[in-house]
Amino acid sequence: MTTKRNQLLVYILTLGVFSILNTEMGVIGILPLIADHFHVSISTAGLIVSLFALAVAVSGPILPSLFSGMNRKKLMLLVLGIFIAGNLVSAITTDFMVLLIARVIPAFFHPVYCSLAFTVAASSVSKDDASKAVAKVFVGVSAGMVLGVPVSSLIATATSLAHAMLFFAAVTTVAFIATLLFVPSMPVKTRVSYGTQILVLRRSMTWLSIAAVIFMNGAVFGVYSYLSEYLKTVTNYAWNTISLMLFLYGAANMVGNMIAGKLLTKHALRTVMFYPYALGAVYIMLFIMGQFSVPMACIILIWGVLGGIGGNITQYWIVSAAPEAPEFANGLFLTSANLGTTIGASVCGLFISGLSTQYVVLGGILFLLLSIAAVYPRISNYSNYHNHSKMN
């Protein structure tokens, strides 16, 4: 009975994470409509994405720790309620500044829910199955990033912008009701003091882990940010084919999440060590064969699987460096991941403007080399900290 209850809890957490990522990423597909509706430029409309990500990065190391002593069920309901309110305000407002505020305030609470979801999922199962439980929650992350964009775009173009915002609110409301009805009260029995949580920053192991996550995420999302542009200008796909390829990447991403759970349970260190080389090989294939339509579809499939595995690796890498402060570690993960995405997209954009779209992969390979430089010192110097050292 307990096993079934724990499985249901993990599924509800996955739904909650999906609803939050759906709110964050879904607007990307409707930015031109937002710009037209509020009579602002496309770059100004883009602030609702960039300021959201900035708010996540700023609050990541702070808010999860501040709320770490609160009953976890109440905390989940609080964050989901804030997201519902933000989406409802976004649906009815006619003022762009109000829309911006309605987006940024919930963004500060994004790391609170997501770090809590990873922590609760891991603690709801045995230590050996923790990576698999976290991998299931990551399916919600992938689904939010992949499904949110085309679905919101479809709803907005078929009906209205307000309906797309109401779609975000509706998904979050379902997660809220499921949490209210099926998640048991989860008071925090032993609260980790702020001092203990902050102390993990004194370890070089923590900083090496943060650096590795920034570089790994930069390697994945720096190149992925320009996938549509790559498929249009290098592969010469039609727009409907590009949409199909983005779906393929997303579906493969979810498969990668589930594979990662098994890999990190059985061969954690080995998986982290070999990952940069596997993704590097894909990027080299992308550079050589990117102009050929059929090989490109195969490359996207493999790339998508590796992208899903990468998300799990980065979360595991930071949390395993600070197991005594899981909420704080997950907050650090979310901040590092968002910084990696921002820096990666900026640097890879420089390769495109300086050379051409085809050379975006050089930015990805540069970040992979930097991630190797951060991963190996941690493995060699701190193997005694590793939770799965007996496996290696």
Side-chain angles (χ1 to χ4, degrees), residues 76-352:
M76 285 183 217
L77 292 171
L78 171 68
V79 177
L80 292 170
I82 290 169
F83 268 83
I84 292 167
N87 284 321
L88 290 175
V89 171
S90 299
I92 61 174
T93 187
T94 54
D95 187 299
F96 182 74
M97 192 53 66
V98 174
L99 173 70
L100 209 53
I101 293 166
R103 292 270 306 166
V104 171
I105 291 174
F108 282 106
F109 291 88
H110 172 299
V112 176
Y113 189 95
C114 291
S115 66
L116 181 67
F118 294 136
T119 304
V120 171
S123 61
S124 68
V125 295
S126 68
K127 199 172 179 181
D128 289 341
D129 290 328
S131 291
K132 289 180 184 175
V134 170
K136 286 177 184 172
V137 175
F138 258 104
V139 171
V141 175
S142 297
M145 292 173 70
V146 173
L147 299 177
V149 175
V151 172
S152 63
S153 181
L154 191 68
I155 292 170
T157 48
T159 55
S160 70
L161 190 64
H163 283 98
M165 298 294 184
L166 289 173
F167 161 67
F168 301 148
V171 175
T172 315
T173 302
V174 172
F176 183 94
I177 293 168
T179 304
L180 187 67
L181 296 179
F182 301 112
V183 173
S185 178
M186 290 188 286
V188 177
K189 296 184 178 103
T190 53
R191 182 178 180 178
V192 182
S193 69
Y194 296 134
T196 302
Q197 295 184 72
I198 303 290
L199 276 176
V200 303
L201 291 175
R202 291 177 64 181
R203 292 187 207 140
S204 57
M205 180 180 185
T206 305
W207 289 103
L208 284 170
S209 301
I210 289 169
V213 170
I214 290 172
F215 296 139
M216 276 195 210
N217 228 54
V220 174
F221 287 98
V223 183
Y224 173 72
S225 298
Y226 302 100
L227 177 56
S228 296
E229 179 67 18
Y230 196 96
L231 294 175
K232 184 179 125 195
T233 57
V234 179
T235 319
N236 292 315
Y237 277 147
W239 273 112
N240 58 345
T241 311
I242 292 172
S243 299
L244 184 65
M245 289 300 116
L246 292 173
F247 263 120
L248 177 66
Y249 181 95
N253 218 265
M254 293 182 214
V255 173
N257 285 321
M258 303 319 293
I259 293 171
K262 292 172 184 171
L263 287 174
L264 289 172
T265 300
K266 293 180 179 176
H267 310 289
L269 281 187
R270 220 171 299 157
T271 302
V272 179
M273 286 167 67
F274 286 120
Y275 180 78
Y277 299 105
L279 187 58
V282 168
Y283 283 171
I284 290 167
M285 284 196 296
L286 184 64
F287 184 78
I288 296 169
M289 308 184 77
Q291 65 268 45
F292 303 109
S293 55
V294 176
M296 189 60 190
C298 299
I299 290 166
I300 286 173
L301 183 65
I302 300 164
W303 183 11
V305 171
L306 286 173
I309 292 171
N312 285 263
I313 284 175
T314 51
Q315 188 271 344
Y316 167 83
W317 203 232
I318 284 189
V319 173
S320 64
E324 73 274 34
E327 273 97 354
F328 184 64
N330 276 312
L332 287 175
F333 156 67
L334 291 162
T335 295
S336 307
N338 274 273
L339 282 174
T341 300
T342 306
I343 297 167
S346 303
V347 172
C348 288
L350 292 175
F351 277 93
I352 291 174

